[in-house]
Amino acid sequence: MILFVGGLVPRLTDARKELRRTQIAEAAVRCFSRNGLERTSIADISAESGLSTGSIYAHYRNKADLVRAAAREMLHRRADTIGGYAAADVPPGPDELLARLTAAIDPVHARVGVQTWSEATTDPAVRDIVVDATDRMRAMLHDCVTAWLVKVENHEPAPARERAAAIAHRIMALYQAELLYTALRTPTGESQ
């Protein structure tokens, strides 16, 4: 506990800490989208979030840590969506799955995603994040396509898993192409 004039100030609860981390990560994503990863400073994120620089450093070690948090947050959003599709009584087929994913693309997230891919070509820590996020999303797509092949197309599970791998790979590639297209066609500061 920290001593404060007139008494003790309670520590942040775990839930409050997580909300603060999310607030900071969302501010970072907005800054990254507007200014680019390289040109965004912790001071920019501080101003965007309304929090002190010290508060940001209390939650994140550095900007790279914020990039990782932003990548994880975007992946979690996709994971929840894709997981729901796979668990449905009638999972969407590959074309419908891709259509749903591309319809949900946020231009801000698309710009940050493309910038993160660029950073991944020169920064091993960012490359690890991008490769992990891509592999995890492809695995989720694989699960969803497998569920569709088994539940809708009536394939046996083992052959369905094998066939789903190539389909999931193509869906992932087309989704990434759509992210790039969205990032390039939507001017900074505008939404889709």
Side-chain angles (χ1 to χ4, degrees), residues 52-96:
S52 71
T53 301
S55 181
I56 291 172
Y57 281 118
H59 295 281
Y60 294 98
R61 292 185 313 262
N62 51 37
K63 191 165 68 170
D65 202 19
L66 275 164
V67 171
R68 284 189 287 278
R72 278 191 303 272
E73 178 61 30
M74 288 186 268
L75 178 64
H76 287 313
R77 288 179 186 181
R78 289 289 161 255
D80 290 345
T81 302
I82 297 169
Y85 295 158
D89 289 338
V90 181
D95 290 338
E96 178 64 20

Side-chain angles (χ1 to χ4, degrees), residues 147-157 160:
W148 173 76
L149 287 169
V150 170
K151 293 178 180 180
V152 177
E153 297 292 306
N154 301 313
H155 289 259
E156 291 298 318

